Amino acid sequence: MQPRIEDYALIGDEQTAALVGRDGSVDWLCLPRFDSAACFAKLLGDEENGHWRIAPKGVQGPCTRRAYRPGTLVLDTEWETAQGSVRVTDLMPQRDRAPDLVRVVEGLSGEVTVRSTLRLRFDYGTVVPWVRRSDGHRVAVAGPDSTWLRSEPAVPTWGEDFGTHSQFTVAAGEKVAFVLTWHPSHEPRPPLVDPYEVLESSVADWQAWVSRCRYHGPHRDAVVRSLITLKALTYAPTGGIVAAATTSLPEEMGGVRNWDYRYCWLRDSTLTLGALLSCGYQEEAEAWRNWLLRAVAGDPADLQIMYGLAGERRLPEFEVPWLSGFAGSRPVRIGNEAVNQLQLDVYGEVMDSLSLARAAGLSPEGDMWALQSALMKYLESAWRQPDEGLWEVRGGRRHFVHSKVMVWVAADRAVRTLEANPTLRGDLDGWRAMREEVHRAVCDKGYDPGRNTFTQYYGSRELDASLLLIPRVGFLPPDDPRVIGTVDAIRDELGHSGFVRRYSTVESDVDGLPGDEGTFLACSFWLADALHMTGRTKEARELFERLVDLGNDVGLLSEEYDPVAGALLGNVPQAFSHIGLVNTALALFGGEGAG
């Protein structure tokens, strides 16, 4: 039976992450980083592409129940069988040197026979390692990769069908632990962790982190789960936050809209900073701000829309034909060609982020204003160009209205910064004039007076959900008739079962791709924000309630949702969706939940 995207839960160590299915199988894991090649790639192929399942013998279907331990990223999966009940606890403790995947099996009642099947397949499911025994371990080696599998001495393991197998019985109160540790094959084995100690410390560490959350309003559990997810998607050594833990989960089942999201997008920066700061996570916000400064340093003309975990610029896109894709959705892509696109909105997002960081009192960075001034100098002439827009379309450049609005944001934040900080130097008059010119151009060329709505790009009739951000960024006040008209038009024309699509893939060829996609969860949160800002708070709260309910059984959201099939779509968990949840909760209930 083909799993659904919502079948997966996330565990991770803030440098990489694994996806665990309802059936107890780890079907996705990249080592040692989020963007490394996967050693478990069943998610995008089949069992021969690598996985690790621990479950009661003879049970093929999903578990009876599962849940994260409260306030943690530690996952408990339980089965009720005719012989008794058993729990598997999965975690990846924050690493000292090497990444560890820890799996603890515990008998809850009766006596249950449990089976473990481990198939390691390095390089996205293609390389079968050589496995040998050493000091009671199963050691797998292939090229640069090596893993050590450790289990209880009383639990035998054997090799069969290019996999490592174990079978054992646990009674109530008995525990059996497995630890899979990766390291470069040319280095000695890293220090061993005690699985029971790291389980205890991981629970304590996560719960201590969650206790810092300042939000105590409605749906606090969903907000906390979203914040934990954002923390889990953070690459701790640099502070960068990846858009998702996966690549190529489809936006349309069986379709070609499959992209690699294991990188850091500048477009997420302002919304992420706002969510972290508002919930009390200043250290994390500062780390993200510092990653941003390092990543965008250099010639402003070379500013990219996304970067690698440490700010890497080259993210070449290629396809891996040996993987059949999730639900047959091909191609499976590694890397992301959109890195080479021109997206003018990122200049506005960077300027807005750094303005927010300065206003929030984050520790000052000496070169920050010099960098902002350089970005503005480049943007003074570059903003008149067409671009690919924030949705990274592959159908050619246009004068996207959202891009121009974010150019206005860049100029506006530069002007406001100078007005508030008289010691800083910059072209105040020139940037004021630029701000006015951009505003006039958008209102003249990007607005359809007959329909009372802004449009996707100059001269078009199509709409774009990104226009919902116009009041949020301050381009026009929420009570402006053009804003209200735009919100209503987007809800009417891009709405699907109460949620919102990014744009029409039927009426427009703007993205240059065949097929369709689901409703976009971040855009649906933006609609809730816009409804609230335009005085329709009851409708906004009702929409927010429905969006929260779209999370899977452990509270995770992917990129999109198919209202017809009732299924999640796209890469998971999606940072943009969880950022939307946090920010909309703060907007709707912030007065009730602060403190």
Side-chain angles (χ1 to χ4, degrees):
M1 180 177 176
Q2 173 66 44
R4 291 153 57 102
I5 290 172
E6 49 265 52
D7 288 343
Y8 288 99
L10 179 83
I11 58 173
D13 64 1
E14 296 180 53
Q15 295 191 45
T16 191
L19 293 190
V20 187
R22 294 179 195 263
D23 62 351
S25 180
V26 182
D27 288 350
W28 181 255
L29 175 60
C30 302
L31 293 171
R33 307 192 336 170
F34 291 105
D35 57 352
S36 299
C39 64
F40 298 145
K42 180 187 173 187
L43 180 73
L44 301 176
D46 57 32
E47 290 186 351
E48 291 306 314
N49 297 123
H51 74 117
W52 184 10
R53 184 168 192 248
I54 298 179
K57 181 182 178 182
V59 175
Q60 298 301 318
C63 62
T64 305
R65 70 185 71 89
R66 66 175 180 174
Y68 288 113
R69 297 198 181 179
T72 79
L73 200 66
V74 175
L75 180 70
D76 288 327
T77 304
E78 297 180 4
W79 288 264
E80 301 279 355
T81 75
Q83 291 72 40
S85 57
V86 66
R87 173 192 298 140
V88 177
T89 299
D90 290 320
L91 69 146
M92 295 188 71
Q94 291 189 15
R95 70 180 78 168
D96 179 17
R97 278 177 45 200
D100 298 292
L101 173 54
V102 177
R103 314 196 74 185
V104 178
V105 184
E106 180 181 1
L108 301 178
S109 67
E111 290 191 355
V112 181
T113 300
V114 177
R115 182 75 181 251
S116 168
T117 300
L118 169 65
R119 287 189 175 89
L120 284 159
R121 299 292 187 267
F122 296 114
D123 196 17
Y124 297 107
T126 59
V127 178
V128 180
W130 179 263
V131 181
R132 60 182 173 84
R133 291 185 181 270
S134 178
D135 298 327
H137 295 71
R138 285 276 178 169
V139 184
V141 178
D145 298 295
S146 179
T147 61
W148 293 65
L149 175 66
R150 180 162 52 100
S151 60
E152 310 285 351
V155 175
T157 62
W158 71 92
E160 181 182 326
D161 297 328
F162 299 102
T164 299
H165 303 263
S166 303
Q167 186 169 299
F168 52 93
T169 299
V170 288
E174 294 181 342
K175 296 181 181 180
V176 172
F178 295 83
V179 181
L180 183 70
T181 304
W182 179 94
H183 70 99
S185 59
H186 64 278
E187 294 182 0
R189 185 196 68 190
L192 302 177
V193 301
D194 183 304
Y196 303 107
E197 287 183 2
V198 297
L199 171 56
E200 184 177 338
S201 63
S202 291
V203 170
D205 289 346
W206 275 111
Q207 290 179 344
W209 186 83
V210 164
S211 70
R212 293 163 47 197
C213 177
R214 292 202 302 241
Y215 179 81
H216 295 281
H219 299 287
R220 185 176 190 275
D221 287 347
V223 170
V224 166
R225 179 53 51 197
S226 292
L227 291 167
I228 290 173
T229 302
L230 293 176
K231 180 73 167 172
L233 294 175
T234 300
Y235 185 64
T238 67
I241 301 175
V242 298
T246 55
T247 179
S248 298
L249 290 182
E251 298 171 17
E252 179 186 32
M253 291 297 177
V256 301
R257 297 168 183 263
N258 317 317
W259 314 108
D260 194 345
Y261 278 9
R262 297 172 299 157
Y263 309 109
C264 307
W265 266 256
L266 299 188
R267 83 160 71 98
D268 302 3
S269 56
T270 308
L271 298 174
T272 304
L273 269 174
L276 293 172
L277 288 168
S278 297
C279 291
Y281 292 103
Q282 183 150 332
E283 291 178 12
E284 288 76 10
E286 193 161 298
W288 175 233
R289 189 277 311 269
N290 292 342
W291 174 89
L292 183 67
L293 286 171
R294 292 191 302 270
V296 305
D299 187 343
D302 296 331
L303 188 70
Q304 298 184 176
I305 66 165
M306 72 180 87
Y307 296 85
L309 307 179
E312 298 90 346
R313 290 173 172 264
R314 297 188 184 277
L315 310 174
E317 181 179 304
F318 60 94
E319 298 176 4
V320 286
W322 59 85
L323 291 176
S324 58
F326 189 93
S329 306
R330 289 177 169 170
V332 171
R333 294 183 175 95
I334 308 302
N336 201 309
E337 192 175 275
V339 72
N340 299 313
Q341 290 187 351
L342 173 66
Q343 295 181 22
L344 292 170
D345 65 291
V346 298
Y347 290 87
E349 283 139 8
V350 170
M351 292 293 293
D352 198 17
S353 296
L354 299 182
S355 176
L356 175 62
R358 183 179 282 107
L362 296 187
S363 61
E365 289 289 335
D367 294 331
M368 191 165 77
W369 179 246
L371 173 62
Q372 290 177 272
S373 297
L375 293 176
M376 286 304 303
K377 185 176 181 180
Y378 170 75
L379 200 55
E380 286 173 351
S381 58
W383 76 267
R384 295 178 177 83
Q385 302 178 53
D387 71 341
E388 276 91 1
L390 87 160
W391 302 130
E392 299 161 14
V393 300
R394 303 196 178 194
R397 294 183 177 181
R398 321 270 174 120
H399 288 283
F400 287 103
V401 173
H402 173 265
S403 295
K404 307 302 186 188
V405 167
M406 293 308 295
V407 169
W408 177 90
V409 168
D412 179 71
R413 302 316 188 252
V415 168
R416 290 171 180 263
T417 299
L418 285 177
E419 291 174 341
N421 299 272
T423 59
L424 297 178
R425 295 290 178 263
D427 185 8
L428 181 57
D429 291 339
W431 294 338
R432 281 175 175 157
M434 174 183 169
R435 180 175 64 177
E436 293 173 6
E437 183 183 358
V438 176
H439 198 281
R440 190 165 50 250
V442 169
C443 293
D444 289 346
K445 302 177 183 178
Y447 174 70
D448 183 342
R451 297 161 62 212
N452 188 28
T453 182
F454 286 94
T455 60
Q456 185 176 42
Y457 55 90
Y458 288 177
S460 72
R461 289 187 54 81
E462 289 82 13
L463 301 180
D464 193 304
S466 62
L467 302 171
L468 293 167
L469 295 172
I470 284 176
R472 180 174 187 149
V473 300
F475 184 83
L476 286 173
D479 59 356
D480 189 294
R482 292 168 292 183
V483 169
I484 296 171
T486 300
V487 173
D488 290 343
I490 289 173
R491 183 164 60 166
D492 292 343
E493 297 185 29
L494 296 183
H496 186 352
S497 302
F499 306 115
V500 181
R501 295 170 291 162
R502 294 186 296 176
Y503 49 83
S504 173
T505 57
V506 176
E507 298 175 5
S508 172
D509 62 351
V510 69
D511 64 14
L513 296 167
D516 202 355
E517 62 181 26
T519 58
F520 204 80
L521 296 182
C523 296
S524 300
F525 283 113
W526 295 348
L527 176 59
D529 295 338
L531 289 171
H532 173 59
M533 293 184 75
T534 54
R536 293 169 278 187
T537 299
K538 182 177 183 293
E539 295 176 60
R541 292 188 173 188
E542 290 172 351
L543 174 55
F544 179 78
E545 300 270 355
R546 294 186 63 208
L547 286 164
V548 170
D549 287 345
L550 296 185
N552 70 357
D553 60 313
V554 291
L556 299 184
L557 293 169
S558 68
E559 182 181 24
E560 299 181 7
Y561 178 72
D562 181 349
V564 175
L568 294 176
L569 294 170
N571 286 303
V572 69
Q574 179 79 5
F576 217 27
S577 299
H578 285 282
I579 293 165
L581 188 153
V582 173
N583 282 324
T584 302
L586 290 167
L588 293 176
F589 311 109
E592 305 171 37

